[in-house]
Amino acid sequence: MSSAEHSVFIRAIGVHAPDRKLTNAELSKMVDTSDEWIKTRSGISERRIAAANENPSDMGAKAAAVALGRAGLTAADIDLLIVATMTPDVPFPSTACLLQAKLGLRRDIPCFDISAACSGFVYALQVATDMMRSGRYRRALVIGAEKLSSVVDWTDRTTCVLFGDGAGAVVLETTPTPHVGILGNLLGADGNNAELLHCVAGGSAAPATPDSISAGKHFLRMNGKEVFRHAVRVMAESCERVLAQCNVTSDQVAWFIPHQANIRILEAVASQLNVGMERFPFNLDRYGNTSAASIPLALEEAWREGKIKHGDLVLIVAFGSGLTWGATLLRWHEPSR
Ligand code: ACO
């Protein structure tokens, strides 16, 4: 088999979530909201909040260390690092470079960030897979790490109840065995809807100034209703398209692992696909929306709890700011514990 035919599979997975839990009851004391409203509209009960000195590179390094430990690998075994984040530690250098140093990865490997918001992990997975299929890289670390608490306006009840912090990492590896691991994937974007979920200041177009900061322009702003509508449509379509690409029906998929944004979005996608919610494991009730970290956090939990088994077909699907979206179908290869 030529290198171009290599399969790429998840050899190990690890996660890290900050210790601090922020409950709906606590949020109700900060803004005009209630546990009942948040649970009914989003399904979220609590979320994790990183400490001031706990950044995406720190959380990502901890998640990666768990994954490497489970795989029985060391930093020297990694040939490629991609970090998906919409909340990088600093505008530059990349969080990947900061993580490379923290993990002690080799200096002869590419390390870079991907900016695709909540679709970031699915984007990074596809980019890593395609680079690995070239035969040039045997093992990659793909990490989703977010500190959304740093871009949330804690006085805006329409957004602050939804988001949380955390990180998840996978070690990808190539194998000459055909039809294992990542079977198919697709990505998409629609920049015409950029303003539905964005941050207007803090970049080069509008650098941070005392005025922009006091006007709260460096916080995340969202048109929740429109994002909701697009999310359901693109997630359901992405699932259908990747299934068609792989010649698989939704009945054959054991588990759907969607980006953990809102339980009502998940229910609507499941209903459009005609799939029962028992095949949509979720943890957004305990973590909220952790953007690029949400899929690895949900995937790791479903695997650790013994839901996902060797040989299962698993479909991961995401949408996010951009707008962006993506889906990946995997034949699960039992990762190292
Ligand atoms: N507590 C109490 N009331 C609230 C709150 C709150 N936290 N937030 C909004 N409300 C009020 C609104 O002000 C509104 O009041 P009004 O009728 O007097 O105007 C009412 O509740 C209803 O608000 P809606 O926005 O219509 O509520 P909706 O049912 O649409 O739910 C929500 C809002 C949860 C934001 C939903 O639209 C949603 O989940 N959208 C998708 C968001 C999402 O997934 N974003 C992540 C994208 S991924 C990424 O890239 C980061």
Side-chain angles (χ1 to χ4, degrees):
M1 178 179 274
S2 82
S3 57
E5 291 167 298
H6 277 149
S7 296
V8 175
F9 70 100
I10 294 178
R11 160 124 181 223
I13 182 164
V15 297
H16 175 78
D19 292 336
R20 162 93 170 100
K21 290 178 184 169
L22 177 64
T23 64
N24 290 350
E26 287 174 83
L27 269 172
S28 311
K29 293 181 192 139
M30 295 160 59
V31 288
D32 181 13
T33 191
S34 66
D35 177 49
E36 205 258 330
W37 193 96
I38 302 170
K39 268 198 202 134
T40 320
R41 301 290 178 126
S42 72
I44 300 166
S45 296
E46 60 185 34
R47 66 291 290 146
R48 301 296 182 93
I49 303 295
N53 61 354
E54 192 176 21
N55 295 317
S57 67
D58 303 304
M59 294 184 277
K62 286 184 178 158
V66 172
L68 285 171
R70 284 176 171 165
L73 296 171
T74 69
D77 297 314
I78 297 302
D79 308 317
L80 166 68
L81 169 65
I82 307 183
V83 176
T85 185
M86 62 181 277
T87 49
D89 287 29
V90 287
F92 59 87
S94 67
T95 301
C97 286
L98 303 178
L99 247 158
Q100 176 200 25
K102 283 181 182 163
L103 289 169
L105 302 185
R106 299 197 322 262
R107 287 195 297 167
D108 62 342
I109 68 168
C111 300
F112 59 94
D113 287 2
I114 279 188
S115 170
C118 302
S119 310
F121 185 77
V122 180
Y123 265 66
L125 207 55
Q126 178 161 335
V127 171
T129 301
D130 290 347
M131 289 177 74
M132 293 169 81
R133 282 194 176 132
S134 75
R136 207 158 159 190
Y137 309 98
R138 168 117 203 269
R139 291 194 193 95
L141 261 174
V142 171
I143 300 175
E146 300 281 16
K147 189 173 177 179
L148 288 160
S149 59
S150 68
V151 294
V152 158
D153 179 350
W154 290 102
T155 65
D156 175 10
R157 70 175 181 173
T158 67
T159 53
C160 76
V161 300
L162 300 173
F163 298 99
D165 303 332
V170 293
V171 176
L172 297 180
E173 190 168 294
T174 54
T175 169
T177 310
H179 312 304
V180 299
I182 291 158
L183 303 180
N185 41 30
L186 65 88
L187 301 175
D190 175 13
N192 293 310
N193 278 309
E195 78 292 348
L196 292 183
L197 177 47
H198 64 163
C199 175
V200 296
S204 57
T209 62
D211 283 350
S212 74
I213 290 168
S214 62
K217 289 186 175 169
H218 53 298
F219 290 132
L220 168 163
R221 300 288 168 204
M222 178 174 71
N223 178 336
K225 267 198 189 320
E226 278 302 301
V227 171
F228 191 111
R229 207 171 56 78
H230 284 277
V232 173
R233 184 176 53 78
V234 299
M235 291 224 285
E237 275 176 17
S238 299
C239 289
E240 280 162 358
R241 284 179 49 214
V242 85
L243 289 173
Q245 183 193 108
C246 299
N247 214 7
V248 164
T249 65
S250 58
D251 293 346
Q252 296 171 279
V253 176
W255 303 103
F256 292 80
I257 308 284
H259 167 49
Q260 306 283 300
N262 182 319
I263 193 67
R264 291 188 298 137
I265 294 178
L266 271 51
E267 286 166 352
V269 172
S271 154
Q272 285 210 14
L273 295 172
N274 215 7
V275 170
M277 276 302 281
E278 68 284 355
R279 284 197 277 154
F280 272 70
F282 62 89
N283 62 8
L284 62 87
D285 52 329
R286 284 157 289 127
Y287 294 100
N289 178 346
T290 57
S291 187
S294 96
I295 285 181
L297 277 165
L299 193 63
E300 195 267 355
E301 184 173 288
W303 162 70
R304 192 167 28 82
E305 289 179 346
K307 291 191 173 98
I308 305 179
K309 300 212 165 45
H310 185 78
D312 280 353
L313 281 176
V314 179
L315 204 170
I316 67 179
V317 58
F319 75 96
S321 165
L323 297 175
T324 54
W325 56 87
T328 303
L329 184 71
L330 303 140
R331 170 80 63 191
W332 195 251
H333 182 288
E334 178 61 16
S336 316
R337 284 191 185 259

